Structure formats: C-alpha cells, structure tokens
Amino acid sequence: MRRRTLLTTALLGAVAGPGLGAGTARAAGPGPSVILTGTTQLDAQALFFVSYDGLVNNNSFQKNGLLTYKGYQYAAWYTTDRSAVVARRALGASNWSTVTLAHQLKSSDSHNVISMGVSRTDGRLHLNMDSHSDGFFYVKSVAGLLDNAPAWTSAVFGAVQTTLDGLSLTTQFTYPQFVSTPEGRLQLSYRVGISGNGRNALAEYDGSSWTALGEWSSSTGTYTSSHGSSTARNMYLHGIDYDINGRLHSFFTWREQNGAVMCNSGGITNHDTGYVYSTDRGRTWRNDAGSLVGTTGSSDTVAVTDAGLVVDSLNPDHSLMNQESQTTDSAGLPHAIISYVPGRFGQCTTNYVTDRTTNGRAFHVRKNSSGTWTKTEIPVALNSSQRTKLVLDTYDNAYAIMPFGRIAGASKSAGYTDWTLLYDGSALNAFGEVVIDETRVSQDGILSFMYQEKSSGTTPSPLHVVDFRLPA
C-alpha cells in the first residue's frame, strides 16, 4: 500500500549483546545440543564454480534443495556435466537413488539453483530451476509419487517445461521458493524484474492447474538516506513460511537501485529488516501492527513508503545481507537471522565482501509473546561474506547454521541470550553456505543439511548431506 509518509520503524523491544546473562530462567525442556549421526555422499563429482561469492548447489535462497516427506528425503543439484539431478533415500539410509533429468545448466551463475516443492493434494514433487532474471525450467513428477514411493526412475518425471503447465509468468524470473499451504496446495514465490528494480509475486497449484496470483511488492517510491535518494528497488525475502496457525510470514530487506544512498560505492545498498504477514494465503499483506499494506495482484502493493514495515532499522552503510533466513516457533511467533557489520567496527563499509568477512556478525531477531521485537547478537564471527540459516527444535531452542557448517545454539529458556558454538564444522571442509532441510526437524528431530566441499576453479567436488540429532 503506497503512502506519502516516510518509512517508519517499529522499535526493537530489547537488544542483547554477546555475553549477557540469561536472566530469570523458567522451567523448560533441555537446551540446544547437536549429535552428529552420519554423513552421506550425494555426488563425488558435483558441479563447482564460484559466482557471486557462492555455489549453484548451495545457496541460501535455494528453498528446498533438500526436503523430507513421508519417510523419504529428497535432494536436487547439478552434477559435473551440468545435468540436473534429483535423488531420494529412506530416512536413515546411507544410499541415495538418483535420477538425471533432461536439463543441463545453461550458464555459470550461482543464482540458477534448483528448488523443490510438494503438492500434498496429489502427491507430486515439483522442481523449478536454472533462472536469473530470464526464463525458468519446470518439471513435476507423476501424481502419487510422494505417497506411494514407486520405483525411482526417470519415468516418474514428466517433460521439462518453460512454463507452469502452460502458465507463463514472466521473462525476468528469479528466486523460486515453493511453500505448501495448510490445505495442501503448493505456492511458488518468485521475483519479477532485476536486482534493484523488481517485485515479488506468487503463483498457486491446486492439484490440477497453476494460477498466477500476481505481484505483491512494489519497486517504486522514494527512499532517502543521509547520502542521497533512490526511486527504484526490490524487496529481498528472508523466506516465506506458514506457521502452525496458518499465518504466512515474510521477513525482508530492501535493495536500492541507486548507489547514491551509500557512503561508499564498495558497499551494498541493502537497508532495514522489514516484516509482513498474510492471513488469507498471500492474497493481502499486513504490517506488524495488523494494518493492511498490500493486496496481491492489485495496484496497491507493499512499498518502501508504507508505515510500520521495519522491525530493525539499519542504513545502507553496514553491508546488510539479503535473503538470510527465517522460521516460526511453536506459538506461531516469527524468528529471523540477519547479518551485517556492526557500528563498533565503523560506520561505513567500503568493500562488502572483505568487511563482512572481517567484521560481519549474525543477529537473531524475534517477536516476543508480548508483541515486542528483540535482537540478539550471535557472538561467533562470520569469517565469511555469506549467509546463516535458522531452525528451531521441538523445544523452540534456536540453531544458527553458519557458513562452513558451523552450528551455534541458544535456548528458549534463557530468552535466546546464551548463544554458543555447538559444532565448529572443521571436519566438513565445506565451501560456505549450506542448504537446510527445513521440513525434517519436526518429523524426526534431525537437523539435516547439504554442503559441498571446497575446491578451486571449476574442479568438481563432493556434495554431501550431514545429519545431527537434536534434543528429543
């Protein structure tokens, strides 16, 4: 919803720094812990090239490159000859069965990830792949594949398409993210346009056909920093997720098109952490106070000039990362991980990769049961320009899976002020970002993530899935 008012912010209820005490403890379950239970190899020769400081097989915005459904885990990636591969294993099994799809990665661009989704209404597995501000490729399985677990062969997948069963979305498509609705429909979130000038949109599959719901964020309006102004941008999502009550949540950052908003051209124009939610399956969007701020598919979409969107205010001078991570807890309250260079290291980043690697820190942002927002710094240096992922266990303890497969944890009973490193990741030899199985923790208490070993140039490297048992 476009307004003439300037961007307003919702003040954080509290900010906790590293080393603060836990306060008054309350009776609760066990605190966070991880026990390594096994590692399996997906591919000894997975495709490797570094682009935009990341890998095409392990990118934070690859929402569901790894997922679990009805006793099976599914993974998707590109192998050494650039072919798209999808694999399946029974939970706990050490061996994966693989199928090579009739598609090869068209360009060496780490944005061109493979994302998977499940339509529970007809038991199909859906894959969207290989796009960055251009056309996408889509394939779906036969009906009932995920319910009946038939033989895992190429025959269970249909032809690779450049539409959603005939529905054309946009010629500038990026960032596919599948999310299942509480009724079992499947929604596809994506960006229309380009970095710095794009809009978020939704499509929906009802078990028989796809429908375009339309765009829900705006690229227009004026944003002004202390350095200059910008009149175009895009909203980068940290995720899009339904909670236990059926509310759809999304944290985001804005990226401005005009570098004049920054203190130095070597930084990045991302600013502010915003939050919106929907109670009608993404048809309308509300700010934290419950005010309507956008209607999907209309001319009145969520804009930078809307009031009440920002839950953590930050100017473009601190190399705030886009597309980090989010989740919801057992009460339906939203949690997110954000990361940037704190002001104690200076008020102007001049090289976002170098400065984030040297001084970047991750923060846990959450909404309390009282309705206020709290931000806690995770006292573990990033040592990377890349992103951190977030999961909660059955006791709502939080786990931040950081670059290189490091795992930090914090307990709900201590108000998430006791973040500590639980696993240092050194044995993995992981390149950087990892892909989390967001669906598995609630099913069998296992934290599972996909990672690729370090390599150089275009030399292929092994791709793995590692499993950790969380408190039962």
Side-chain angles (χ1 to χ4, degrees), residues 69-409:
Y69 187 74
K70 290 192 174 182
Y72 284 87
Q73 190 172 41
Y74 300 84
W77 70 95
Y78 298 102
T79 192
T80 184
D81 70 354
R82 308 177 77 85
S83 294
V85 176
V86 59
R88 180 183 75 178
R89 68 164 172 169
L91 289 182
S94 58
N95 295 320
W96 294 80
S97 298
T98 62
V99 168
T100 300
L101 301 176
H103 179 75
Q104 290 184 309
L105 181 69
K106 66 179 185 283
S107 62
S108 295
D109 186 333
S110 65
H111 289 80
N112 294 37
V113 299
I114 304 174
S115 294
M116 297 185 291
V118 173
S119 54
R120 297 197 306 274
T121 56
D122 59 358
R124 294 183 193 266
L125 182 67
H126 302 249
L127 296 92
N128 191 296
M129 52 194 169
D130 201 0
S131 61
H132 184 195
S133 300
D134 54 10
F136 63 82
F137 298 86
Y138 166 72
V139 64
K140 67 180 182 182
S141 75
V142 298
L145 173 70
L146 304 182
D147 298 325
N148 304 320
W152 187 252
T153 68
S154 59
V156 303
F157 290 96
V160 177
Q161 310 174 48
T162 55
T163 65
L164 297 178
D165 293 338
L167 176 66
S168 297
L169 297 177
T170 173
T171 58
Q172 293 184 310
F173 181 100
T174 317
Y175 305 127
Q177 296 193 16
F178 287 109
V179 59
S180 296
T181 71
E183 302 83 18
R185 295 187 177 197
L186 181 64
Q187 294 180 323
L188 175 63
S189 167
Y190 58 98
R191 187 187 71 191
V192 178
I194 62 174
S195 175
N197 191 9
R199 289 86 60 203
N200 290 315
L202 286 171
E204 186 173 87
Y205 177 77
D206 63 5
S208 60
S209 63
W210 283 95
T211 301
L213 302 183
E215 298 175 9
W216 64 270
S217 72
S218 172
S219 60
T220 61
T222 299
Y223 167 79
T224 301
S225 74
S226 60
H227 311 291
S229 297
S230 176
T231 57
R233 69 204 45 81
N234 70 277
M235 176 194 285
Y236 272 119
L237 303 184
H238 289 310
I240 185 165
D241 298 279
Y242 283 97
D243 68 19
I244 193 172
N245 302 311
R247 177 175 288 192
L248 185 60
H249 302 259
S250 192
F251 287 88
F252 62 88
T253 60
W254 296 108
R255 174 173 293 179
E256 298 301 322
Q257 185 182 60
N258 191 351
V261 301
M262 296 186 294
C263 61
N264 186 281
S265 61
I268 192 168
T269 61
N270 296 344
H271 63 89
D272 296 315
T273 298
Y275 167 77
V276 289
Y277 70 89
S278 173
T279 57
D280 55 8
R281 309 299 188 254
R283 271 65 175 179
T284 60
W285 297 89
R286 297 181 181 275
N287 65 15
D288 183 47
S291 299
L292 181 69
V293 288
T295 300
T296 301
S298 77
S299 61
D300 190 10
T301 52
V302 184
V304 72
T305 50
D306 283 343
L309 298 181
V310 177
V311 296
D312 185 44
S313 179
L314 188 70
N315 67 33
D317 297 339
H318 294 273
S319 293
L320 175 68
M321 182 48 64
N322 50 285
Q323 298 164 291
E324 202 109 26
S325 188
Q326 67 170 47
T327 191
T328 59
D329 62 24
S330 61
L333 295 171
H335 296 240
I337 294 291
I338 65 173
S339 64
Y340 58 89
V341 178
R344 65 178 181 273
F345 297 111
Q347 297 298 327
C348 180
T349 56
T350 59
N351 182 306
Y352 85 90
V353 172
T354 299
D355 291 340
R356 284 179 55 84
T357 301
T358 304
N359 294 317
R361 297 294 187 272
F363 297 81
H364 176 209
V365 177
R366 67 187 179 95
K367 189 174 185 178
N368 300 312
S369 57
S370 62
T372 59
W373 291 88
T374 299
K375 182 172 70 172
T376 306
E377 182 175 338
I378 300 173
V380 180
L382 287 180
N383 298 323
S384 170
S385 66
Q386 295 183 291
R387 302 168 178 90
T388 295
K389 302 297 289 183
L390 175 67
V391 298
L392 303 178
D393 67 20
T394 189
Y395 301 101
D396 284 336
N397 298 313
Y399 301 80
I401 301 86
M402 308 181 79
F404 318 117
R406 295 168 296 163
I407 305 173

Side-chain angles (χ1 to χ4, degrees), residues 47-50 55 455-460:
L47 182 65
F48 186 98
F49 60 83
V50 180
L55 303 181
S455 187
S456 61
T458 58
T459 303

Side-chain angles (χ1 to χ4, degrees), residues 433-453:
E433 291 180 6
V434 301
V435 171
I436 302 296
D437 187 335
E438 298 178 4
T439 59
R440 189 173 179 186
V441 171
S442 63
Q443 296 182 46
D444 66 356
I446 297 293
L447 167 61
S448 191
F449 63 81
M450 182 167 66
Y451 71 93
Q452 190 161 350
E453 291 189 27

